[in-house]
């Protein structure tokens, strides 16, 4: 509790200080930000050396010509390619399927894209959050249903919105340590049919009924069941177990703490949808594997959540979580999504043996966690700062940024936190801020606000997009980051393979 009070007081100080605000100007192909420049006192001596080591505010200058080694731990790990199903709003075209159907399609799409034999992968790991009881280990079920050999193991991981980030990390570990040569990493989320349970009181009675040995015992238990409260269903809630707070409420408080206005959030959300629409029209989203739905006439080939709206229309929406004075609306929040993703991760030697040209190296990654109440969605800030420090890099060294967009307010709050000396000194144990991320490098093909966010699949989508952008833009380094429930975060460095 003391920490939370300290954080809240600190953010009051942050709001009162000269924190630069983020302005969004959407053009036809990208968006840029202008922020007020803060005057900083010049550090000296040891403090100056530490600042040079831990921070160098970005200027937008590309550093792709730098040759500093980014060797990770163990053997080099390469990302061959990644694919995904179209990401669809839940309860639309996928509504009559199951999660493993989507995962299977992603796996088959990966095989078709990479042209490898189904016997080539030695392992498969997939992320998911809301599990279907019948296919709890969805990685294994998807492998079997897709016709992969029975001797390929598979397991499923969960870490909220960064579940497939964990899958990627697990695959990279297996390759780096020499345990495997080729691993499939992916994820799936299916929210059109989530498990809905009876209340615990009813479940206990039903389980007891199965064990009852006499008719009087059974009749007594049945009589107890005949209570209205026992028939009230319990649906999974997208809320923090430790705090009971819905993530949207946290996003609203975070936006308020960092003085992110409703207008800024609407502008950022509009930017995301416009850039996603442009990327689709230009063919940049070629990681999508079109899918035919049984019984449907048309093939699903595009994400269906991209909707470009005017700021006037968006301004009419009421607050979605903190009523009536909140600033987060449905338009500035990621939506409930169905979808799956899959990627092939190998060693350099295995890629050469298979005749495959990797798209990127997976160099380094990190997972972080912080207070799940007041700092629930600040994972990208903590993870980015720590990963850059470990790698000896600054934001200036990064050419491509792909951050998960849970909420527009969450993204803008993280950008402000990264660009705040006060936040860096108070919470990141740094002498100065991490720096400013130029929006012309940031999520320029859209993000989770527009493309969709299947909880267990987004991480692979982020890395695939980062690798594809590095190639398309002829750049060298990308940084992927995401927040997750529980106050957790993830960041990964991706280097173009040449």
């Amino acid at each position: 509790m003391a920490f939370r009070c300290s954080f809240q007081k600190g953010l009051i100080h942050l709001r009162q200080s000269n924190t630069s605000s983020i302005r969004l100007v959407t053009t036809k192909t990208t968006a840029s930000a202008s922020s007020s420049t803060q005057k900083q006192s010049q550090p000296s001596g040891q403090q100056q050396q530490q600042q040079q080591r831990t921070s160098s505010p970005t200027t937008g200058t590309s550093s792709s010509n730098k040759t500093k080694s980014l060797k990770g731990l163990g053997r080099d790990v390469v990302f061959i390619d990644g694919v995904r199903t179209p990401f669809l709003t839940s309860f639309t075209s996928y509504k009559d399927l199951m999660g493993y159907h989507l995962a299977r399609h992603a796996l088959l799409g990966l095989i078709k894209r990479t042209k490898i034999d189904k016997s080539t992968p030695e392992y498969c790991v997939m992320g998911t959050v809301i599990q279907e009881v019948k296919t709890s280990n969805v990685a294994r079920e998807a492998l079997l249903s897709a016709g992969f050999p029975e001797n390929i193991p598979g397991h499923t991981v969960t870490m909220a919105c960064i579940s497939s980030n964990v899958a990627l990390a697990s695959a990279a570990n297996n390759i780096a340590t020499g345990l495997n040569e080729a691993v499939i990493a992916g994820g799936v989320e299916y929210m059109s049919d989530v498990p809905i349970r009876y209340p615990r009181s009813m479940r206990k009675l039903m389980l007891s009924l199965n064990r009852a040995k006499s008719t009087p015992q059974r009749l007594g238990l049945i009589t107890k069941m005949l209570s209205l409260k026992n028939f009230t269903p319990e649906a999974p809630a997208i809320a923090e177990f430790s705090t009971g707070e819905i993530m949207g409420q946290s996003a609203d408080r975070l936006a308020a703490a960092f003085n992110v206005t409703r207008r800024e959030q609407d502008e950022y959300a509009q930017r995301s949808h416009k850039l996603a629409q442009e990327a689709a029209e230009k063919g940049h989203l070629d990681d999508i594997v079109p899918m035919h739905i049984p019984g449907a006439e048309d093939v699903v080939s595009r994400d269906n959540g991209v909707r470009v709206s005017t700021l006037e229309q968006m301004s009419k929406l009421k607050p979605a979580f903190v009523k009536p004075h909140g600033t987060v609306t449905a338009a500035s929040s990621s939506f409930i999504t169905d979808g799956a993703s899959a990627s092939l991760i190998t060693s350099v030697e295995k890629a050469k043996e298979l005749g495959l040209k990797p798209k990127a190296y997976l160099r380094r990654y990190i997972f972080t966690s912080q207070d799940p109440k007041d700092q629930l969605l600040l994972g990208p800030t903590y993870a980015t700062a720590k990963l850059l420090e470990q790698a000896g890099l600054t934001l200036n060294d990064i050419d491509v940024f792909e951050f998960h967009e849970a909420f527009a307010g969450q993204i803008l709050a993280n950008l402000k936190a990264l660009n705040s000396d006060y936040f860096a000194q108070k919470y990141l144990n740094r002498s100065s801020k991490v720096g400013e991320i130029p929006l012309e490098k940031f999520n320029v093909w859209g993000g989770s606000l527009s493309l969709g966010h299947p909880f267990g699949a987004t991480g692979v989508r982020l890395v695939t997009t980062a690798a594809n952008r590095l190639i398309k833009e002829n750049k060298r380094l990308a940084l992927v980051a995401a927040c997750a429930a529980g106050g957790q975060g993830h960041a990964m460095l991706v280097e173009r393979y040449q």
Side-chain angles (χ1 to χ4, degrees):
M1 181 65 69
F3 176 82
R4 291 175 184 168
C5 291
S6 173
F7 180 72
Q8 291 167 350
K9 291 178 181 178
L11 289 183
I12 292 174
H13 174 90
L14 180 64
R15 290 183 61 181
Q16 292 173 342
S17 66
N18 187 24
T19 303
S20 59
S21 80
I22 299 169
R23 297 295 175 212
L24 301 168
V25 181
T26 305
T27 64
K28 183 176 181 182
T29 58
T30 187
S32 61
S34 61
S35 60
S36 59
T37 304
Q38 296 179 325
K39 294 183 179 180
Q40 303 177 32
S41 59
Q42 180 68 28
S44 60
Q46 184 177 0
Q47 183 181 4
Q48 183 176 9
Q49 294 177 359
Q50 182 182 5
Q51 178 172 340
Q52 290 173 346
R53 177 178 65 86
T54 61
S55 176
S56 176
T58 61
T59 61
T61 303
S62 172
S63 63
S64 295
N65 293 327
K66 292 193 66 173
T67 57
K68 179 185 292 186
S69 172
L70 283 178
K71 295 284 288 185
L73 302 177
R75 298 191 302 169
D76 281 340
V77 178
V78 290
F79 178 88
I80 302 299
D81 210 342
V83 300
R84 63 183 178 93
T85 69
F87 285 176
L88 304 186
T89 306
S90 297
F91 312 108
T92 55
S93 295
Y94 294 152
K95 65 182 183 298
D96 295 324
L97 303 179
M98 292 179 66
Y100 85 93
H101 290 125
L102 304 183
R104 176 182 66 190
H105 186 73
L107 291 175
L108 292 173
L110 182 66
I111 293 297
K112 184 176 181 180
R113 180 70 58 90
T114 58
K115 297 181 173 60
I116 63 171
D117 190 87
K118 288 182 180 179
S119 63
T120 298
E122 302 166 19
Y123 204 89
C124 176
V125 55
M126 303 193 82
T128 198
V129 179
I130 307 297
Q131 294 187 347
E132 163 60 53
V133 177
K134 294 180 180 179
T135 57
S136 57
N137 186 4
V138 71
R140 176 64 173 167
E141 301 303 336
L143 280 173
L144 293 175
S145 65
F148 282 75
E150 295 177 352
N151 62 351
I152 300 178
H155 79 274
T156 303
V157 295
T158 185
M159 199 172 180
C161 298
I162 51 177
S163 293
S164 63
N165 305 72
V166 177
L168 282 164
S170 299
N173 280 344
N174 284 15
I175 302 299
T177 58
L179 184 62
N180 296 125
E181 295 294 328
V183 179
I184 291 175
V188 61
E189 206 65 45
Y190 187 71
M191 299 296 290
S192 289
D193 182 26
V194 297
I196 298 176
R197 306 192 301 177
Y198 285 109
R200 187 166 189 174
S201 58
M202 184 63 153
R203 300 198 304 269
K204 290 172 67 176
L205 289 170
M206 294 175 73
L207 292 172
S208 298
L209 184 63
N210 287 338
R211 298 193 302 270
K213 297 181 179 179
S214 66
T215 300
Q217 286 179 326
R218 295 189 185 96
L219 290 175
L221 291 169
I222 292 173
T223 301
K224 292 181 180 179
M225 289 180 183
L226 300 178
S227 171
L228 185 60
K229 68 176 183 178
N230 287 333
F231 291 91
T232 304
E234 292 180 351
I238 306 176
E240 295 296 304
F241 180 79
S242 60
T243 66
E245 189 172 63
I246 297 173
M247 190 172 286
Q249 296 171 331
S250 295
D252 232 321
R253 286 193 299 103
L254 188 67
F258 281 88
N259 199 26
V260 179
T261 67
R262 166 74 181 267
R263 175 76 178 191
E264 287 177 311
Q265 294 175 60
D266 287 350
E267 287 176 348
Y268 185 88
Q270 183 190 55
R271 170 190 188 266
S272 182
H273 282 271
K274 283 187 175 181
L275 293 177
Q277 183 181 67
E278 291 169 7
E281 292 173 351
K282 294 177 180 178
H284 294 334
L285 307 183
D286 59 0
D287 56 332
I288 295 177
V289 179
M291 185 171 181
H292 179 262
I293 311 298
E297 295 182 2
D298 300 324
V299 172
V300 178
S301 59
R302 297 183 64 163
D303 308 311
N304 72 355
V306 180
R307 293 182 177 86
V308 179
S309 183
T310 66
L311 291 176
E312 181 182 4
Q313 291 172 323
M314 296 169 72
S315 68
K316 296 178 182 178
L317 295 178
K318 294 181 179 180
F321 304 103
V322 178
K323 303 174 181 179
H325 303 299
T327 57
V328 177
T329 68
S332 59
S333 309
S334 56
F335 48 89
I336 302 301
T337 314
D338 298 333
S341 59
S343 63
L344 180 62
I345 315 297
T346 75
S347 64
V348 173
E349 295 76 19
K350 188 64 175 180
K352 292 179 179 177
E353 175 190 323
L354 296 172
L356 299 172
K357 182 178 180 180
K359 289 191 171 182
Y361 293 99
L362 302 184
R363 287 305 193 190
R364 282 178 173 270
Y365 67 85
I366 195 168
F367 292 91
T368 59
S369 61
Q370 56 281 338
D371 173 37
K373 178 71 173 178
D374 290 320
Q375 300 192 349
L376 177 69
L377 301 171
L378 286 177
T381 296
Y382 282 88
T384 295
K386 194 168 184 178
L387 184 63
L388 290 176
E389 183 173 351
Q390 287 184 355
L393 300 172
T394 70
L395 290 178
N396 277 328
D397 298 312
I398 308 301
D399 304 300
V400 164
F401 293 89
E402 284 294 329
F403 279 31
H404 163 49
E405 300 171 348
F407 303 89
Q410 160 258 334
I411 283 291
L412 297 175
N414 274 276
L415 293 180
K416 289 190 176 188
L418 286 167
N419 199 31
S420 165
D421 283 319
Y422 175 82
F423 192 88
Q425 295 162 5
K426 182 72 174 179
Y427 300 106
L428 301 180
N429 195 29
R430 294 171 58 95
S431 61
S432 59
K433 62 188 179 183
V434 180
E436 181 179 8
I437 297 179
L439 284 188
E440 61 266 20
K441 297 181 179 181
F442 190 86
N443 290 12
V444 299
W445 290 356
S448 301
L449 288 174
S450 49
L451 301 174
H453 173 41
F455 303 141
T458 290
V460 168
R461 196 271 301 168
L462 290 170
V463 171
T464 302
T465 301
N468 289 340
R469 279 186 59 197
L470 286 174
I471 295 171
K472 178 70 69 173
E473 299 172 22
N474 193 25
K475 299 296 183 180
R476 181 188 173 217
L477 286 179
L479 191 148
V480 170
C483 60
Q488 302 180 108
H490 167 79
M492 176 178 282
L493 281 172
V494 179
E495 182 179 12
R496 181 183 173 191
Y497 183 91
Q498 290 179 311

